[in-house]
Structures are given as structure tokens and as C-alpha cells.
Amino acid sequence: EVQLVESGGGLVQPGESLRLSCAASGFTFNIYNMNWVRQAPGKGLEWVSYISDNSRTKYYADSVKGRFTVSRDNAKNSLYLQLNSLRDEDTAVYFCARVVETTHYIDSWGQGTLVTVSS
Amino acid sequence: DIQMTQSPSTLSASVGDRVTITCRASQNIAMWLAWYQQKPGKAPKLLIYKASILESGVPSRFSGSGSGTEFTLAISSLQPDDFATYYCQQYNAYWTFGQGTKVEIK
């Protein structure tokens, strides 16, 4: 069974940093591309970042480009998102999500971790 | 950037009703469209990919159609477990979601 478990969320002040983690199990992590998707309270889903299986390709939404960094450690079956220079509007539940090879739709999601940015 | 527009934003229906949700893309995305169901406090769940392919384990009352810029999700006979929010998502160029359609009890 595919399992994705996020952690690392919390309450931070504007301008601060946070690192989110996603532990993967139940599948061969190192052959899958991965996404981060977020959802602000009461709002819809917003794609945040993508990383390829070998970390060579990374994409970011314009809203986070230059502030967030995605990475992964295939030896640890783990995905990360470094959030810097956080803003109020970054407050959201952050989901890690598995991307199906070749076709690129998302087929599995973690339960999410809440990041709250507030002074 | 590709924009996705869903309609309606809210849909009131009764158990047993047939419901349809429309999703429009701002440019041609071929059949690179997925549909997800989300319940409060939970992660989204994949229902349909490549516009019309039912994900394994998803009830056959769900169906998807369309290509290019116009897509539809249909639920043939609404069940109590189907009251939720539904999102379309394009994956032709990066990933963009529609704003969601909340299906509520009439």
C-alpha cells in the first residue's frame, strides 16, 4: 500500500523558515516523480513544486519561486520542501503527492501538514 | 499558464440524482485531465485520469468525458458517500486545479 506521511508543519512568523518532510513507503520511491500541493484554509488546491525521480528536474509555481526549494533523498525514501521567507499567504496544508510516470497525473496523496504563518 | 474553470461552484442534489460537473481549460490540454474527490480534512482522492479512465476501485457510477478544452464529470446516481468537493486538474503543462465544486445535500 502506498503511504506518504508529511511532517514538519507548524506556526511560524512572517519571514521565517520551515522544512517539510514526506516519508514514502509501499512503493519504489526512486522511480517516481513527486509534487508538493497546498491548500489554504477553506480554499482550493494549488500546485507548488515538482521534482523528478533523479532530482535533475525541478519546477516551482510562480508564487513560491525563489523562496521554496524541493529536494529528495532516495536512500531515505524521503521528499523535502524548504520554505523560506514565509508570508501570511503561505498558510496552508501542504500535501506531498506521487506523480505517475510518463503521464504525470497525481495518483496518491499524503494526509498533509499544516503550515501557519502569522505574527 | 493554463487556467481551469469549474462550474457550478456549488451543486445541491439528492441521493439518487444524476449530477454533472463541467471543467473548462483556457487552452487545449488534449485528454490530460484528472478528477479528484475531497472530503473535509482529508487528502484528495483520484477518481478519473486521462479524462475518462476510471481509477481502480472507484465505483462505476463515476464517469468522465471530454477532450481539448471541455470536460465533464458525471455521477449517475448520487450516493451518501459522494457528498464532497470535486476538483478537475490539468497535467498537460505543469499542474493546475479548478476552483472546486461542492456537492451538497439538497
Side-chain angles (χ1 to χ4, degrees):
Chain A
E1 179 194 1
V2 173
Q3 278 210 308
L4 297 166
V5 180
E6 302 91 337
S7 60
L11 173 63
V12 296
Q13 296 191 341
E16 293 186 340
S17 298
L18 210 55
R19 189 195 197 206
L20 306 183
S21 299
C22 172
S25 61
F27 65 102
T28 306
F29 180 70
N30 63 10
I31 64 170
Y32 280 89
N33 306 320
M34 299 292 293
N35 270 341
W36 286 98
V37 176
R38 69 183 179 183
Q39 186 170 37
K43 302 296 184 182
L45 299 163
E46 179 190 16
W47 169 73
V48 172
S49 182
Y50 162 92
I51 185 167
S52 63
D53 55 358
N54 57 13
S55 300
R56 289 179 185 167
T57 303
K58 300 176 183 180
Y59 301 129
Y60 299 94
D62 288 344
S63 57
V64 307
K65 203 172 292 182
R67 300 188 299 121
F68 291 8
T69 302
V70 64
S71 61
R72 65 191 294 164
D73 185 336
N74 285 343
K76 294 183 178 180
N77 287 344
S78 292
L79 174 70
Y80 306 102
L81 188 66
Q82 178 70 37
L83 290 64
N84 295 335
S85 303
L86 282 161
R87 305 168 179 168
D88 290 352
E89 57 265 33
D90 295 318
T91 294
V93 173
Y94 286 73
F95 298 98
C96 67
R98 190 177 79 166
V99 179
V100 173
E101 305 173 76
T102 67
T103 51
H104 302 121
Y105 64 91
I106 294 172
D107 71 339
S108 299
W109 302 68
Q111 86 290 347
T113 187
L114 176 62
V115 172
T116 304
V117 184
S118 175
S119 54
Chain B
D1 291 5
I2 300 175
Q3 310 300 319
M4 305 300 292
T5 304
Q6 282 181 240
S7 61
S9 297
T10 306
L11 192 160
S12 297
S14 302
V15 172
D17 285 352
R18 174 181 174 82
V19 301
T20 59
I21 299 169
T22 299
C23 180
R24 289 186 174 86
S26 61
Q27 62 190 75
N28 186 356
I29 59 168
M31 297 185 75
W32 304 123
L33 184 103
W35 289 97
Y36 299 90
Q37 177 194 67
Q38 188 181 33
K39 296 182 178 178
K42 301 293 187 182
K45 172 189 172 183
L46 175 66
L47 299 175
I48 286 167
Y49 61 95
K50 206 175 179 184
S52 63
I53 301 176
L54 203 64
E55 171 72 344
S56 176
V58 174
S60 59
R61 63 181 179 273
F62 291 92
S63 63
S65 62
S67 65
T69 61
E70 292 258 344
F71 302 87
T72 299
L73 173 71
I75 310 173
S76 60
S77 177
L78 202 62
Q79 297 302 300
D81 191 48
D82 301 337
F83 292 98
T85 300
Y86 293 84
Y87 293 93
C88 63
Q89 179 213 41
Q90 69 81 19
Y91 51 97
N92 179 68
Y94 304 106
W95 296 264
T96 316
F97 295 87
Q99 79 277 17
T101 296
K102 183 177 181 180
V103 177
E104 60 181 26
I105 299 173
K106 190 172 186 180

